[in-house]
């Protein structure tokens, strides 16, 4: 956890003068990484890590849930101070991509494909269709 806080600290170091920052977050549920609880509050691993950093740094975060497509424009228009999550491999308009700065990864995970039990072990030759989250590109 100390390494994560150090990486996030580097990201926010140039913004130390202000006390409250708005973090644009995806208005989706992708638990356990992030989502919204019964009261509509941003929750999950990402919230825990960001709140822990804010406490450590003596700052406050306000979370602004937005549709994924609205996050980069909100960042470009200074409506939010930061965007979470993000990745330099994700496509962004050139007008903002060059100005974006990234921390080290906060979390790493491995994606996979789920198949029905009757297809277990058949291999890629038998995979005919693949469902993906809208806007995501399987590689």
């Amino acid at each position: 956890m100390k390494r994560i806080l150090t990486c996030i600290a580097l990201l926010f170091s140039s913004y130390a003068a202000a006390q409250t920052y708005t973090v644009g977050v995806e208005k989706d549920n992708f638990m356990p990484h992030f989502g919204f609880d019964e009261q509509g509050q941003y929750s999950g691993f990402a919230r825990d890590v960001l709140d822990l950093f804010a406490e450590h740094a003596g700052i406050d975060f306000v979370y602004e849930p937005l549709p994924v497509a609205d996050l980069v424009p909100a960042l470009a228009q200074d409506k939010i101070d930061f965007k979470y999550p993000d990745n330099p491999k994700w496509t962004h308009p050139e007008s903002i991509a060059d100005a974006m700065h990234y921390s080290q990864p906060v979390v790493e995970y491995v994606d996979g494909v789920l198949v029905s039990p009757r297809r277990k072990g058949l291999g890629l030759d038998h995979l005919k269709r693949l469902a993906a989250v809208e806007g995501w590109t399987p590689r």
Side-chain angles (χ1 to χ4, degrees):
M1 185 61 72
K2 188 172 184 175
R3 180 172 180 243
I4 291 172
L5 291 177
T6 301
C7 293
I8 294 173
L10 292 174
L11 173 68
F12 294 108
S13 63
S14 63
Y15 295 91
Q19 295 297 311
T20 301
Y21 303 97
T22 302
V23 181
V25 296
E26 294 181 5
K27 192 176 184 176
D28 288 318
N29 287 310
F30 192 65
M31 293 302 276
H33 193 65
F34 59 82
F36 297 86
D37 63 19
E38 298 80 26
Q39 290 78 35
Q41 296 296 310
Y42 185 61
S43 62
F45 169 81
R47 171 77 189 250
D48 293 344
V49 169
L50 291 169
D51 283 352
L52 184 61
F53 170 78
E55 180 182 329
H56 178 76
I59 60 175
D60 293 311
F61 286 145
V62 174
Y63 298 98
E64 181 68 34
L66 295 168
V68 173
D70 293 347
L71 284 166
V72 171
L75 188 61
Q77 297 165 9
D78 292 326
K79 293 179 180 177
I80 58 175
D81 297 303
F82 306 102
K83 173 185 177 310
Y84 187 88
D86 209 332
N87 188 306
K89 293 181 181 178
W90 297 352
T91 303
H92 296 305
E94 285 184 36
S95 59
I96 191 169
D98 291 339
M100 292 180 74
H101 300 278
Y102 298 91
S103 69
Q104 294 296 314
V106 173
V107 65
E108 295 180 9
Y109 55 91
V110 176
D111 288 326
V113 175
L114 300 174
V115 297
S116 66
R118 63 184 171 79
R119 295 189 173 277
K120 182 179 176 181
L122 291 179
L124 288 176
D125 293 340
H126 294 278
L127 186 61
K128 303 293 183 218
R129 292 177 299 207
L130 180 65
V133 176
E134 184 176 349
W136 292 23
T137 303
R139 297 178 191 256

